[in-house]
Amino acid sequence: MRTIINSTFVSLDGVVNHMDKWHFDYVDAESDEFALEQLRAADAMLMGRKTYEVYAGAWPGRDGEYADAINAIPKHVASTTLQNPAWHNTSVLDGDLVEAVRALRAQDGTSILMHGYGPVAKTLLQADLLDELHLWVHPHLAGAGDENDLLLHHGLTKKLELTATRTLNSGVVVLTLRNPDARPEGAPHV
């Protein structure tokens, strides 16, 4: 049973989008290395269509260790509208999201890394298919966006367990949170 690990940048006021206003001043060699560690620990990526479009428009034309790794890794895109993805090593999960991800999670392998915290991640967390959440909390109030841009999602209530923290030199704090309800089918709660 594979695990799904979400890694998301978030501003101090809970904004996960509009990163041009709050994120890029905190990117440095340390954050790049940590992001590469996360990518290398996975054997696949999962993303929603919007994240896919941003990544497919940016990563194929870049060079370097991270670009090489993200371009090579198998990528799964949850979408009912995307057809014939052009980015190398990409497949589309269409149909029922929860069932498609349940089947992907049941395959042999290690972890599946997910970037972004939009509708796909929120649905998977609600369905207990998201095992771990890494929130890169930036010491910056974004002051932008609306409810669709926030970590908050009305009606999504989930108790998570803090398993680790890592403070980067930039002031970003990475919180590692485990979903105790995400477990293999039929496995008991412990």
Side-chain angles (χ1 to χ4, degrees):
M1 177 67 64
R2 299 165 95 178
T3 57
I4 298 178
I5 299 171
N6 181 289
S7 187
T8 294
F9 302 136
V10 60
S11 70
L12 199 53
D13 51 350
V15 176
V16 295
N17 294 323
H18 306 286
M19 291 192 303
D20 58 309
K21 298 184 184 316
W22 56 270
H23 166 69
F24 293 104
D25 287 343
Y26 301 94
V27 175
D28 58 18
E30 182 184 28
S31 65
D32 286 348
E33 183 59 35
F34 188 43
L36 183 58
E37 285 174 26
Q38 287 185 327
L39 184 60
R40 285 184 175 156
D43 63 0
M45 287 191 76
L46 173 63
M47 60 192 82
R49 183 189 49 82
K50 289 181 181 178
T51 300
Y52 169 80
E53 288 175 350
V54 170
Y55 280 26
W59 288 110
R62 294 184 185 176
D63 295 320
E65 283 183 273
Y66 192 88
D68 292 345
I70 200 167
N71 286 319
I73 196 167
K75 294 163 279 292
H76 305 279
V77 182
S79 177
T80 57
T81 58
L82 181 64
Q83 297 180 14
N84 304 317
W87 193 10
H88 172 72
N89 218 4
T90 300
S91 62
V92 177
L93 301 176
D94 55 4
D96 182 78
L97 172 64
V98 170
E99 291 308 313
V101 172
R102 207 173 259 134
L104 182 63
R105 198 169 174 245
Q107 295 174 357
D108 289 335
T110 59
S111 63
I112 301 166
L113 180 63
M114 180 177 201
H115 286 171
Y117 192 80
V120 173
K122 292 171 184 175
T123 298
L124 297 180
L125 184 58
Q126 185 68 44
D128 291 326
L129 293 173
L130 188 61
D131 298 272
E132 204 168 270
L133 182 59
H134 295 250
L135 294 177
W136 298 54
V137 183
H138 291 56
H140 196 120
L141 297 169
D146 60 27
E147 67 182 41
N148 295 318
D149 298 309
L150 297 175
L151 189 65
L152 169 77
H153 182 69
H154 184 71
L156 177 56
T157 301
K158 184 67 58 185
K159 184 175 182 177
L160 304 173
E161 297 172 350
L162 180 66
T163 60
T165 59
R166 180 171 175 173
T167 303
L168 305 181
N169 291 329
S170 65
V172 171
V173 177
V174 182
L175 305 174
T176 300
L177 303 150
R178 185 178 75 84
N179 178 2
D181 297 322
R183 62 193 188 289
E185 290 295 314
H189 283 278
V190 285

